[in-house]
């Protein structure tokens, strides 16, 4: 087509038909412009399809990551609840001197309350890769982008709360570092010495029941309970809501 216009242009110039030449020259320009626009449109469509394909790949990966993170968080919530419920039971014994546990029951309560540390470790490898590579912009849903952007900073806040909770737990554990209390008694009567350490239990254990009359122990246990419950209600539960919202948005954007 362009060759046709070029031939015609030369012929019109040779015949001094300037107006017709200008008309056909304009047609040639329009044809070139249309060709460029078509090429750009094809290229844009290809780029758009590639971005959409890339987005779908990310969405599928993110969906799996957040599903696993949800399972981990639920398990952690259960462990944390188990910890502070054990601590509450000990406080109940402190509050009522008429009902006191035996050494074995008290050891088992101490063990189940203090043995498990709390730390949320979500699956973030793909999300971190997207953030570091600037690929988060390829997520077309603005609400989902906001949730994903805020996710990392939310985890930082939770880590600080978990650190505070860990410090409260360590303050209680530190009370067993001296001569008055015995970690060995807790391990022996909870079955840890034999099953976990492959060591024979002692026949005569040092009693830890005097802690039930210790104001220091009660104070530290109460702070531990407060920190544990705050971790659940102010951090873990909102985080679970965020995970559910992210999964719902991903499900909405994922193409079958």
């Amino acid at each position: 087509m362009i060759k046709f216009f070029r031939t015609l242009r030369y012929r019109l110039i040779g015949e001094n038909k300037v107006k017709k030449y200008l008309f056909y020259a304009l047609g040639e320009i329009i044809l070139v412009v249309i060709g460029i626009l078509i090429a750009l449109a094809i290229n844009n469509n290809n780029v758009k399809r590639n971005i959409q394909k890339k987005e779908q790949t990310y969405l599928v990966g993110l969906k799996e990551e957040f599903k696993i993170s949800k399972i981990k968080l639920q398990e952690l919530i259960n462990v944390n609840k188990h910890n502070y419920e054990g601590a509450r039971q000990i406080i109940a014994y402190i509050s009522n001197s008429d009902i006191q546990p035996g050494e074995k029951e008290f050891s088992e309560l101490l063990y189940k309350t203090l043995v498990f540390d709390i730390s949320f470790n979500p699956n973030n490898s793909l999300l971190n890769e997207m953030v570091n590579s600037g690929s988060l912009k390829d997520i077309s849903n603005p609400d989902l982008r906001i949730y994903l952007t805020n996710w990392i900073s939310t985890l930082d806040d939770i880590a600080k709360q978990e650190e505070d909770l860990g410090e409260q737990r360590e303050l209680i554990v530190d009370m067993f570092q001296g001569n008055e209390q015995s970690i060995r008694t807790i391990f022996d009567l909870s079955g840890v010495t034999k099953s976990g350490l492959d060591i024979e239990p002692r026949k005569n254990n040092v009693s830890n029941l005097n802690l039930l009359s210790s104001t220091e122990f009660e104070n530290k246990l109460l702070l531990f309970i407060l920190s544990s419950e705050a971790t659940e209600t102010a951090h873990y539960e909102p985080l679970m809501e965020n995970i559910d919202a992210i999964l719902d948005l991903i499900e909405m954007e994922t193409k079958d």
Side-chain angles (χ1 to χ4, degrees):
M1 183 64 70
I2 294 177
K3 184 178 180 181
F4 167 76
F5 275 105
R6 188 179 294 115
T7 303
L8 185 58
R9 181 181 59 190
Y10 290 151
R11 183 166 60 84
L12 291 173
I13 292 174
E15 295 176 359
N16 290 322
K17 296 180 179 179
V18 178
K19 288 185 178 180
K20 288 187 177 182
Y21 162 71
L22 291 175
F23 173 77
Y24 285 110
L26 180 61
E28 185 176 350
I29 293 172
I30 292 174
L31 183 62
V32 171
V33 171
I34 291 174
I36 293 173
L37 292 176
I38 292 174
L40 287 174
I42 293 173
N43 182 65
N44 289 339
N45 286 334
N46 289 336
V47 170
K48 185 177 180 180
R49 281 195 297 269
N50 289 335
I51 292 175
Q52 289 174 341
K53 184 178 179 180
K54 184 180 179 183
E55 180 186 16
Q56 289 300 308
T57 301
Y58 282 143
L59 290 174
V60 171
L62 288 171
K63 183 177 181 180
E64 292 305 311
E65 279 196 351
F66 278 96
K67 278 185 175 180
I68 295 173
S69 294
K70 181 176 180 178
I71 293 172
K72 287 184 176 181
L73 181 59
Q74 187 57 61
E75 291 176 350
L76 198 59
I77 289 173
N78 294 338
V79 170
N80 186 55
K81 186 183 294 292
H82 188 267
N83 289 354
Y84 71 69
E85 285 179 348
R88 279 184 169 278
Q89 183 60 52
I90 295 173
I91 290 294
Y93 284 128
I94 294 174
S95 301
N96 188 354
S97 59
D98 295 333
I99 304 175
Q100 295 293 287
E103 196 71 57
K104 178 176 174 56
E105 181 185 353
F106 188 48
S107 293
E108 291 173 344
L109 269 175
L110 287 170
Y111 182 78
K112 85 168 191 175
T113 300
L114 301 173
V115 69
F116 296 110
D117 200 2
I118 298 296
S119 180
F120 182 47
N121 182 29
N123 281 37
N124 276 344
S125 56
L126 177 58
L127 180 58
N128 287 334
E129 177 189 325
M130 292 174 64
V131 171
N132 294 333
S133 65
S135 297
L136 204 57
K137 68 180 184 302
D138 294 329
I139 301 299
S140 58
N141 188 302
D143 293 331
L144 180 55
R145 273 203 314 275
I146 292 173
Y147 271 111
L148 294 175
T149 301
N150 292 338
W151 176 258
I152 303 299
S153 60
T154 301
L155 293 181
D156 291 339
D157 291 338
I158 289 176
K160 293 177 183 176
Q161 175 64 25
E162 290 172 337
E163 183 179 352
D164 177 69
L165 176 57
E167 290 174 356
Q168 300 300 329
R169 172 178 169 272
E170 287 300 320
L171 288 174
I172 300 174
V173 173
D174 285 346
M175 295 188 70
F176 293 87
Q177 302 295 328
N179 292 323
E180 294 183 4
Q181 315 308 145
S182 174
I183 293 178
R184 177 67 180 268
T185 298
I186 298 174
F187 284 1
D188 283 354
L189 298 183
S190 299
V192 177
T193 308
K194 181 66 176 177
S195 62
L197 302 176
D198 196 25
I199 299 173
E200 289 298 321
R202 293 173 58 176
K203 293 183 178 180
N204 297 313
N205 293 112
V206 176
S207 177
N208 290 314
L209 289 174
N210 61 316
L211 286 172
L212 295 174
S213 59
S214 168
T215 301
E216 180 186 1
F217 177 69
E218 181 181 20
N219 290 341
K220 291 179 178 179
L221 204 59
L222 287 170
L223 291 174
F224 174 74
I225 292 172
L226 287 174
S227 186
S228 297
E229 292 183 342
T231 300
E232 177 180 337
T233 58
H235 295 274
Y236 287 164
E237 289 179 356
L239 186 65
M240 182 65 79
E241 292 175 0
N242 285 347
I243 291 177
D244 287 335
I246 289 171
L247 287 172
D248 287 343
L249 288 170
I250 291 175
E251 187 67 31
M252 185 174 66
E253 295 297 323
T254 304
K255 298 178 181 178
D256 296 331

